[in-house]
Each structure stands twice: as C-alpha cells, then as structure tokens.
C-alpha cells in the first residue's frame, strides 16, 4: 500500500509546534523565560537557515522534560494542544488527509519535533502512524537524552526505512510526501510524488526547477 507522508510543522500546522512548545513553557514560567525564549528563537532561526545542530537542540528541548514529573508534563501538554495547537491546524489539512485515506493510502506524520509534543497532535489529526524524534524515557521519567536517530534531514529517510522493515505491506512505491522545508529534501527526493506545501524560499525554488507541485493548506478551498 502506498504511503502518504506528511511533515507536521508549517505543513499540516500553520506554525511550528516545537517552537510554540518552547514559548508555552516560557509563558507558564516553568523555564527561565528570557533565556529560554532567546535560545528557542536562535534554534528556530538555525532550522530555517538549514544549519540547525540537531543534537544541541535536542539537549535544549529535552531538558524541561527531564526536570519535571510526567504528571505535570501531561497536564501542560493537554493545555498546550488546546490553546496553542488547535488554532494552528491548517484549514486544508483535514481534507487532504481524508483525500488520501479515501484513495487507500496510509497516512504517516514524519517530523523532527519530538514525540512527546507531537503524539497528541497526530491523534487530533486522526493519523495513527507517527515517526518523530524520540526523547529517552526510563523509570516513568524522561532522561533528557536522545533515543535513536533524530528524525531530521537525512535522519527522516533512515527512520522511515527502519519503520518500513516492520511493515511488509507498505512501501515507498507510488508514495507521497508533503513538506514546507528544504530540510526535508532528502526524503522528498525518495518518493514518487513530492509536494511542496507553503514552502520556504529554498524549497519553492527547488520545486520550480524540478516541476514538483506546490500547494497551500492555509485555505481549506485549496485542496
């Protein structure tokens, strides 16, 4: 069965869940507000420029997870999804997901943002398969360490290949991948149907050069 792969941030969402989670924690006062905001913005700038040190960012993003008990984290996450994520769901995203379901494709969200942040978002969007960067979890707490290969740039290709090894009925033949970011070019180049969604300038130019379709999900009528 073909896959319909979707990046999450600035693709199915009209914003970045990782960046918003950092802002949310600062607004709650559970991290050093000014310092956390500054580092969060710097990492986001690096991501958009294609120079993100993903391991440094994981250490930054996982530190609050390791510092607080799971019960508090889950309560904050529930509030975060309702207050910050719900308004960011791109208007065209539900219709596009449904279009692929009706075509018999298997939807998969594949995102660099960590699983703790993205798992309830995937559930909200009705997507049962999620490949995300994995924070290590042991003894009912997050350790602050990274587990496995970060799901970022070429790491998305690796993580997808690893996942497909356990999915004998699924494959990349005739599959789709939707993304906004030039960071996802390694995976866009692996699928039969790469689609740029509200793309950054670099990806928009690559899509023009290669004849890839470019769409917007910021308008529900666009799908």
């Amino acid at each position: 069965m073909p896959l319909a792969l979707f990046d999450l941030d600035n693709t199915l969402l009209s914003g970045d869940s990782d960046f918003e989670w950092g802002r949310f924690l600062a607004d709650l006062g559970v991290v050093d507000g000014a310092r956390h905001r500054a580092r969060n913005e710097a990492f986001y700038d690096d991501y958009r420029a294609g120079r993100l040190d993903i391991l440094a960012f994981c250490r930054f993003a996982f530190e609050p997870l390791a510092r607080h008990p799971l019960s508090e984290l889950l309560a904050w996450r529930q509030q975060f999804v309702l207050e910050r994520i719900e308004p960011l769901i791109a208007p065209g995203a539900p219709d596009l997901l449904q279009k692929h379901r009706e075509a018999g494709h298997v939807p998969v969200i594949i995102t660099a943002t960590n699983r703790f942040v993205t798992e309830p978002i995937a559930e909200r969007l009705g997507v049962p398969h999620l490949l995300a960067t994995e924070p290590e979890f042991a003894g009912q707490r997050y350790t602050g360490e990274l587990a496995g290969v970060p799901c970022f740039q070429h790491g998305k290709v690796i993580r997808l290949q690893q996942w497909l090894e356990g999915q004998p009925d699924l494959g990349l033949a005739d599959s789709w991948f939707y993304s906004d970011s030039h960071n996802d070019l390694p995976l866009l180049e692996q699928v039969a149907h790469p689609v740029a969604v509200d793309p950054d300038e670099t990806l928009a130019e690559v899509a023009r050069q290669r004849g890839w379709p470019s769409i917007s999900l910021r308008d529900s009528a666009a799908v």
Side-chain angles (χ1 to χ4, degrees):
M1 296 176 65
L3 300 175
L5 301 162
F6 298 89
D7 177 49
L8 180 64
D9 299 312
N10 290 305
T11 301
L12 295 177
L13 299 180
S14 301
D16 188 287
S17 59
D18 231 347
F19 180 66
E20 288 300 324
W21 174 249
R23 293 180 61 198
F24 176 75
L25 292 179
D27 290 345
L28 279 182
V30 299
V31 294
D32 180 344
R35 179 175 178 273
H36 196 87
R37 284 190 181 92
R39 294 193 68 200
N40 195 37
E41 291 174 5
F43 279 123
Y44 193 36
D45 288 344
D46 285 349
Y47 169 79
R48 288 181 292 191
R51 59 173 183 260
L52 178 66
D53 181 337
I54 187 63
L55 298 182
F57 176 71
C58 285
R59 288 191 293 271
F60 167 75
F62 297 169
E63 192 274 335
L65 299 182
R67 190 150 41 88
H68 298 280
L70 184 61
S71 58
E72 286 187 346
L73 293 170
L74 292 175
W76 294 335
R77 187 177 71 175
Q78 183 178 28
Q79 180 183 353
F80 168 72
V81 172
L82 289 173
E83 294 180 1
R84 303 294 179 94
I85 295 300
E86 195 69 31
L88 288 180
I89 295 173
D95 287 344
L96 180 60
L97 288 165
Q98 185 59 26
K99 175 182 174 181
H100 280 284
R101 293 187 193 100
E102 291 174 355
H105 304 156
V106 177
V108 179
I109 288 174
I110 182 163
T111 175
T113 301
N114 71 77
R115 178 174 294 274
F116 176 79
V117 170
T118 56
E119 196 163 47
I121 305 173
E123 291 173 2
R124 166 63 181 83
L125 293 170
V127 179
H129 303 295
L130 170 66
L131 300 178
T133 298
E134 299 285 350
E136 186 180 64
F137 188 77
Q140 295 304 304
R141 290 191 72 103
Y142 288 97
T143 67
E145 299 298 323
L146 171 69
V149 176
C151 198
F152 176 64
Q153 293 182 341
H154 186 66
K156 283 193 175 183
V157 177
I158 295 171
R159 290 290 307 282
L160 180 60
Q161 291 171 339
Q162 291 173 339
W163 182 72
L164 285 172
E165 289 174 2
Q167 307 288 334
D169 296 330
L170 304 179
L172 282 179
D174 203 32
S175 290
W176 302 70
F177 180 39
Y178 295 84
S179 177
D180 72 292
S181 176
H182 67 281
N183 286 293
D184 283 334
L185 281 169
L187 183 52
L188 285 162
E189 292 169 344
Q190 297 293 314
V191 299
H193 305 286
V195 182
V197 180
D198 298 294
D200 61 35
E201 289 183 7
T202 301
L203 179 56
E205 180 59 28
V206 171
R208 282 193 292 270
Q209 292 175 357
R210 301 186 185 183
W212 296 349
S214 182
I215 66 170
S216 175
L217 295 181
R218 306 296 169 95
D219 181 354
S220 59
V223 178

